[in-house]
Amino acid sequence: MSILVPSTNATPAHTAQRHRATGLTFAVLGAMAFSGKAIIVKLAYRHGVDAVTLIMYRMLFALPIFAAMAWWASRGKPPLTRKDWLGVLGLGVSGYYLASFLDFAGLAYVSASLERLILYLNPTIVLMLGWLLYGRGIRWGQALGMAISYGGVVLVFGTELQGQGTQAVWGAVLVLGSAISYALYLVYSGQMVQRLGALRLVGLATSVACILCLLQFVLLRPWSAAAVAPEVLWLSVLNATLCTAAPVLLVMLAIERIGAGAAAQMGMVGPMSTILMGAWLLDEPLTWTVLGGTALVLVGIFVFTQTPRPPAG
């Protein structure tokens, strides 16, 4: 009598399916972790800390991680030239220092939901910068997607304007400035990514931003301002690890398995997870207007990303 033993050898199709499922899981977890940053910042603000001090602690805890990332990616690679260092400095200022600081400052005035929706418009801002700086065309599908997504942001912003007044305007301007700053980083980082590699560039540029945030605190605040509530310290550790370093790694692993396009599509869970976490942890209102505006933003960005890009002008 023979005993049938299930085969432990997975077929190529099953292996590919598991590979894709793992990649999708990494992409979703990465998007949710990125979105949690706004929630943590809003929770920290409840303990009387300001943006300069809060971002200092976030970057202080993140610096060892990014420095290690830069060292690891630089092993066996040729040293950077003076031109490379200038490029890293410029991208670090625009993509991580200025973008992060404006985002933190804006969150003092607007909800986590509106902040996430504005930042989610980043692909459209990159396209408009390409049109302004390089004369690249904009297809009608992209224009339609932009109109839908910006309409969604305006809808949510209108609700927030009724409750917050001019503070909502100032906060939205700061967050939009953050999105533009990061879009500039994306526009100008292309050649340096090819030359240095994505991991090395990210590690170096973020390390520059961390140092700048530490210097900013030293120049603008007395040392006594570093005395904050223990909750702020723990929230900053979470921000540096769970919402900064971890999602960078998760998204990179996802792109490895399912490609950049699919990973970007999974990023659509980000705004919705921010809204749900905001309602749960921050008691932010979960209204039909907010849900409708979010749906418009997601639909608009989906239409935008599905439209083929025009050739460079």
Side-chain angles (χ1 to χ4, degrees):
M1 180 179 178
S2 62
I3 300 176
L4 297 178
V5 180
S7 174
T8 57
N9 296 325
T11 65
H14 289 161
T15 301
Q17 189 175 13
R18 284 201 304 267
H19 203 63
R20 178 171 177 79
T22 303
L24 292 173
T25 301
F26 284 155
V28 170
L29 291 176
M32 293 176 66
F34 270 130
S35 301
K37 178 259 302 174
I39 306 300
I40 288 178
V41 171
K42 297 290 284 186
L43 288 172
Y45 277 146
R46 293 180 174 181
H47 298 280
V49 67
D50 66 358
V52 173
T53 305
L54 185 59
I55 199 170
M56 179 275 292
Y57 273 117
R58 179 215 190 185
M59 295 306 202
L60 176 66
F61 295 129
L63 179 56
I65 301 172
F66 289 128
M69 183 187 299
W71 169 79
W72 178 268
S74 299
R75 293 176 311 147
K77 302 290 179 61
L80 270 64
T81 64
R82 181 174 179 273
K83 182 179 179 181
D84 289 335
W85 278 116
L86 289 174
V88 166
L89 178 61
L91 293 177
V93 170
S94 174
Y96 295 102
Y97 163 68
L98 190 59
S100 296
F101 178 69
L102 291 175
D103 184 33
F104 272 54
L107 277 167
Y109 303 101
V110 297
S111 67
S113 304
L114 180 58
E115 178 260 6
R116 180 51 45 184
L117 292 181
I118 294 174
L119 293 183
Y120 200 65
L121 298 175
N122 190 264
T124 69
I125 298 173
V126 171
L127 181 71
M128 287 189 287
L129 287 174
W131 172 65
L132 288 171
L133 298 174
Y134 303 112
R136 295 170 183 166
I138 300 177
R139 295 188 185 276
W140 71 268
Q142 292 172 321
L144 175 62
M146 290 168 62
I148 296 172
S149 57
Y150 279 79
V153 170
V154 169
L155 182 62
V156 177
F157 174 71
T159 301
E160 200 138 325
L161 186 62
Q162 293 177 354
Q164 300 292 332
T166 56
Q167 282 196 342
V169 177
W170 178 232
V173 168
L174 289 171
V175 176
L176 181 60
S178 170
I180 293 173
S181 182
Y182 191 70
L184 285 169
Y185 163 80
L186 294 176
V187 168
Y188 286 111
S189 64
Q191 291 184 351
M192 290 201 67
V193 167
Q194 293 178 0
R195 189 163 65 252
L196 302 181
L199 188 60
R200 189 182 188 190
L201 179 60
V202 169
L204 290 170
T206 48
S207 296
V208 167
C210 289
I211 294 171
L212 289 175
C213 287
L214 296 177
L215 289 176
Q216 176 181 254
F217 175 82
V218 171
L219 293 174
L220 299 181
R221 296 290 184 270
W223 285 106
S224 58
V228 296
E231 292 84 354
V232 174
L233 296 178
W234 285 112
L235 288 169
S236 296
V237 171
L238 280 178
N239 203 344
T241 54
L242 184 64
C243 301
T244 304
V248 168
L249 179 59
L250 287 168
V251 171
M252 286 180 59
L253 292 172
I255 291 173
E256 247 181 14
R257 288 162 172 76
I258 60 176
Q265 292 300 323
M266 290 301 100
M268 296 180 76
V269 306
M272 188 53 83
S273 65
T274 301
I275 289 174
L276 294 177
M277 285 190 291
W280 175 36
L281 298 172
L282 303 175
D283 295 324
E284 292 185 351
L286 186 61
T287 65
W288 287 110
T289 302
V290 171
L291 292 174
T294 302
L296 286 175
V297 172
L298 296 179
V299 169
I301 295 298
F302 179 80
V303 172
F304 177 87
T305 55
Q306 293 304 302
T307 304
R309 292 186 178 182

